Amino acid sequence: MKGTSMANPVNFLLLLSLIAFASFCQCDKKVGGYLYPQFYDKSCPRAQEIVKSIVAKAVAKETRMAASLLRLHFHDCFVKGCDGSVLLDSSGTIISEKRSNPNRNSARGFEVVDEIKSALEKECPETVSCADILAIAARDSTVLTGGPSWEVPLGRRDSLDASISGSNYNIPAPNNTFQTILTKFKLKGLDIVDLVALSGSHTIGDSRCTSFRQRLYNQTGNGKADFTLDQFYASQLRTHCPRSGGDQNLFVLDFVSPAKFDNSYYKNLLIKKGLLSSDEILLTQNSVSAGLVKKYAESNELFFEQFAKSMVKMGNITPLTGSRGEIRKICRRVNA
């Protein structure tokens, strides 16, 4: 009898731990570990509503802001994971990622994030992370310009530091080779499908002359334009993107529907009118990615479905959870 009564509590505890483990595993399969869409339902129920209203106001004022906010989330996740490090200004030992090559004179939308954070601090102090603000704002920006919606897994915490070297080396560049870009995606746990689908975010927004100038004048060092770029389109681009000067001149990434989130981006690639080299090589340098480009050009629905899946996957890149990191009070600096 004694042996039985001793075994029961042990078995009971074992059963409890197995149930807890099983439910954790289930959670892990569904939403990527500790992140889940209902994270703020009790602690800050109006969080997503507040983010959406401020993003909507900013995008109504300037359509380009949608692409800028979407890009901030991407540039955040690709450095040290989705931890809000891209938002930190330089201070003390922190060298801001805003100074890196991909972000300097280019990353924008920080004031909108400040406004969102300020509103959230009033509503529920020290509760919603800056990293989560970026993830929600990226989804809202997509929806506001006509793109797909998705449930955003939440619960990220904010980093205590930044990495300018990570920003310089991990974020894909417009002149990288296909293999280099794919490797940068794979290092973050993303695959070729994610690469092609997420590149579709270039259906909205602008790019600077300095990001594609080499395609117009000297793509391979032979003093000639990129032959994979439609030559009439190239001559139009040259009128505002000279051989020297005009670095910051802006050009729409999708000349067909620059303010609408749709699959025009892929259709443009098929007629040699992708703006960046990193866009066009999806069609010209790999048969698998070329097949995906054709698939998404044919079906807006397929593109939307995959884009939403890939955004959730990207948003799950090594988040800080539990007691790691902090919830910043101001997104530009770590808490005192």
Side-chain angles (χ1 to χ4, degrees):
M1 282 295 287
K2 275 185 184 172
T4 315
S5 63
M6 281 294 288
N8 282 346
V10 172
N11 288 343
F12 182 67
L13 285 171
L14 186 61
L15 184 63
L16 272 183
S17 63
L18 281 171
I19 290 167
F21 181 68
S23 62
F24 172 78
C25 285
Q26 196 58 31
C27 165
D28 196 48
K29 280 176 192 161
K30 281 182 183 167
V31 292
Y34 295 100
L35 305 184
Y36 54 98
Q38 301 79 18
F39 191 84
Y40 297 113
D41 280 8
K42 288 192 173 68
S43 60
C44 194
R46 290 188 58 239
Q48 297 203 50
E49 185 191 321
I50 289 167
V51 175
K52 188 174 186 176
S53 68
I54 295 170
V55 171
K57 190 177 70 173
V59 172
K61 191 175 162 191
E62 183 198 18
T63 314
R64 183 185 171 207
M65 189 52 71
S68 301
L69 291 170
L70 186 52
R71 189 169 179 256
L72 271 188
H73 181 45
F74 178 71
H75 281 210
D76 183 34
C77 294
F78 260 70
V79 180
K80 302 189 298 98
C82 312
D83 62 1
S85 64
V86 71
L87 302 171
L88 288 170
D89 287 338
S90 295
S91 67
T93 57
I94 295 170
I95 302 170
S96 177
E97 291 170 20
K98 296 173 187 179
R99 295 185 184 181
S100 71
N101 293 329
N103 293 331
R104 194 172 57 246
N105 300 323
S106 166
R108 58 198 296 279
F110 300 109
E111 294 76 16
V112 178
V113 176
D114 290 341
E115 190 182 340
I116 294 167
K117 184 60 175 168
S118 173
L120 287 169
E121 284 300 304
K122 283 193 187 87
E123 177 80 12
C124 25
E126 297 174 56
T127 304
V128 182
S129 69
C130 301
D132 276 346
I133 288 172
L134 289 180
I136 300 166
R139 187 269 315 274
D140 293 344
S141 295
T142 304
V143 174
L144 285 162
T145 46
S149 187
W150 60 91
E151 276 201 312
V152 181
L154 300 164
R156 300 166 191 81
R157 286 166 67 84
D158 298 322
S159 70
L160 301 169
D161 58 1
S163 174
I164 191 168
S165 60
S167 188
N168 277 325
Y169 296 116
N170 298 349
I171 295 170
N175 55 352
N176 279 162
T177 63
F178 178 84
Q179 201 48 55
T180 300
I181 294 170
L182 183 58
T183 300
K184 286 178 177 182
F185 269 73
K186 283 184 171 173
L187 287 170
K188 297 296 169 190
L190 302 174
D191 59 27
I192 196 164
V193 177
D194 301 313
L195 163 57
V196 180
L198 292 172
S199 295
S201 61
H202 285 176
T203 175
I204 55 172
D206 302 331
S207 184
R208 297 174 300 154
C209 164
T210 185
S211 298
F212 60 87
R213 176 185 279 123
Q214 85 284 351
R215 296 192 78 198
L216 305 179
Y217 301 102
N218 191 20
Q219 177 64 359
T220 56
N222 62 358
K224 290 182 180 171
D226 185 347
F227 71 92
T228 69
L229 182 64
D230 177 86
Q231 292 311 299
F232 178 68
Y233 183 44
S235 67
Q236 287 178 309
L237 294 171
R238 279 189 207 102
T239 60
H240 294 292
C241 185
R243 204 177 276 272
S244 64
D247 284 9
Q248 307 303 318
N249 291 354
L250 292 175
F251 295 77
V252 293
L253 283 157
D254 168 3
F255 74 95
V256 174
S257 53
K260 189 169 190 295
F261 198 103
D262 59 20
N263 65 341
S264 295
Y265 165 82
Y266 300 102
K267 294 175 182 175
N268 295 342
L269 298 187
L270 296 180
I271 54 168
K272 295 185 166 186
K273 290 184 178 180
L275 184 64
L276 305 177
S277 170
S278 55
D279 294 325
E280 201 61 52
I281 58 177
L282 297 178
L283 183 70
T284 60
Q285 287 193 12
N286 182 281
S287 59
V288 176
S289 67
L292 290 164
V293 166
K294 288 166 190 165
K295 205 163 120 179
Y296 299 150
E298 280 166 24
S299 171
N300 200 51
E301 198 181 331
L302 267 180
F303 163 48
F304 276 20
E305 192 185 314
Q306 187 55 54
F307 184 80
K309 283 181 190 166
S310 294
M311 282 297 288
V312 171
K313 198 169 162 187
M314 184 185 81
N316 273 322
I317 298 172
T318 56
L320 297 172
T321 53
S323 59
R324 293 182 303 152
E326 65 179 13
I327 305 298
R328 282 184 219 140
K329 294 174 199 170
I330 294 168
C331 292
R332 292 172 179 270
R333 58 174 186 260
V334 296
N335 297 337

